[in-house]
Amino acid sequence: MGYQLNGQTIIRGLPVQPKRKPSRLAALNQQRMKAVSQFLKPIKRIINWGYRDMAPPGSRVGTFQQAQSYTFKNSLDYDSDNDNAPYVNPEKVLLFRGEEPAPEKPQVRREGKTLVFEWESFFTTPQDRIFVAAIYDGSHQYDLLLTGPDLSVKKYIWEPQRVVMAEGKILHVYVGTKNMLTDKLSDSVYLGAV
């Protein structure tokens, strides 16, 4: 079977049906891939935006595959209470990747239906770098702040529109920066669950 992908010809064979049960290590590897895919699939929009520099147009490997690879290698832990089942540790995940510097000493707190972000900045005048953020409940709800204030502001109050900010609902919070001139991002910084 063959097809064209980004101007390159790809040839693949038909899927082979396994005739025997996978080995213990093969089964573990399948569980690991499943855990990574289940964590990342609902936030594909964030991944496509956050990894766009890692997979430029025409690349054989896409943004989602780059995120899967990073998460698979760096973000898996094992639950000792559940037969060492693999799971994705949100603290180790990078939702955006890049070479720009991240915000200095960022913090977040929840106030009702808003998130209050604060960070340190040596800038006193408006800058080309802006604050960006993402939140994710770990299963299906997320929101992405694409155009926050420039880094000289040092504080931002965000009321997410796509996520229900219910009492007791845990949200994982990630922040970073975006250079408005080059359109490049920083690596995301995990601020914890609020």
Side-chain angles (χ1 to χ4, degrees), residues 6-23:
N6 296 327
Q8 296 179 348
T9 302
I10 308 292
I11 305 293
R12 293 199 173 157
L14 293 173
V16 177
Q17 296 295 325
K19 294 184 175 149
R20 60 185 138 164
K21 187 176 177 182
S23 69

Side-chain angles (χ1 to χ4, degrees), residues 11-84:
I11 305 293
R12 293 199 173 157
L14 293 173
V16 177
Q17 296 295 325
K19 294 184 175 149
R20 60 185 138 164
K21 187 176 177 182
S23 69
R24 189 176 60 80
L25 288 177
L28 177 62
N29 197 48
Q30 290 171 359
Q31 289 177 335
R32 293 170 67 198
M33 277 307 293
K34 184 176 181 181
V36 168
S37 293
Q38 285 178 338
F39 185 86
L40 295 177
K41 187 177 180 184
I43 55 173
K44 190 169 183 180
R45 178 175 166 242
I46 295 174
I47 297 301
N48 287 341
W49 183 78
Y51 277 74
R52 66 181 185 262
D53 294 335
M54 309 317 287
S59 173
R60 284 190 73 152
V61 179
T63 55
F64 195 77
Q65 288 79 18
Q66 289 282 356
Q68 279 181 316
S69 176
Y70 179 86
T71 305
F72 189 81
K73 292 175 186 172
N74 300 295
S75 305
L76 286 173
D77 282 340
Y78 299 90
D79 185 359
S80 59
D81 295 336
N82 191 12
D83 199 27
N84 280 337

Side-chain angles (χ1 to χ4, degrees), residues 37-43 136-142 169-172:
S37 293
Q38 285 178 338
F39 185 86
L40 295 177
K41 187 177 180 184
I43 55 173
Y136 179 41
D137 70 354
S139 61
H140 66 279
Q141 284 195 334
Y142 69 90
K169 182 174 187 170
I170 294 174
L171 297 170
H172 301 285

Side-chain angles (χ1 to χ4, degrees), residues 3-4 24 33 48 60 64 70 76 92 95 102 104 121 124 146 161 169 179 190:
Y3 57 93
Q4 290 278 338
R24 189 176 60 80
M33 277 307 293
N48 287 341
R60 284 190 73 152
F64 195 77
Y70 179 86
L76 286 173
K92 298 178 181 180
L95 294 189
E104 297 279 332
S121 178
T124 55
L146 296 173
Q161 302 300 311
K169 182 174 187 170
N179 188 315
Y190 181 73

Side-chain angles (χ1 to χ4, degrees), residues 117-175:
F117 295 96
E118 295 180 288
W119 60 92
E120 292 184 7
S121 178
F122 300 109
F123 304 117
T124 55
T125 59
Q127 295 296 307
D128 298 329
R129 292 187 182 95
I130 64 169
F131 182 79
V132 295
I135 57 175
Y136 179 41
D137 70 354
S139 61
H140 66 279
Q141 284 195 334
Y142 69 90
D143 205 349
L144 180 60
L145 174 68
L146 296 173
T147 55
D150 74 77
L151 293 181
S152 65
V153 174
K154 301 181 186 179
K155 183 176 182 178
Y156 185 69
I157 299 172
W158 180 32
E159 185 173 349
Q161 302 300 311
R162 295 179 50 114
V163 173
V164 177
M165 298 284 285
E167 186 75 28
K169 182 174 187 170
I170 294 174
L171 297 170
H172 301 285
V173 181
Y174 301 84
V175 297

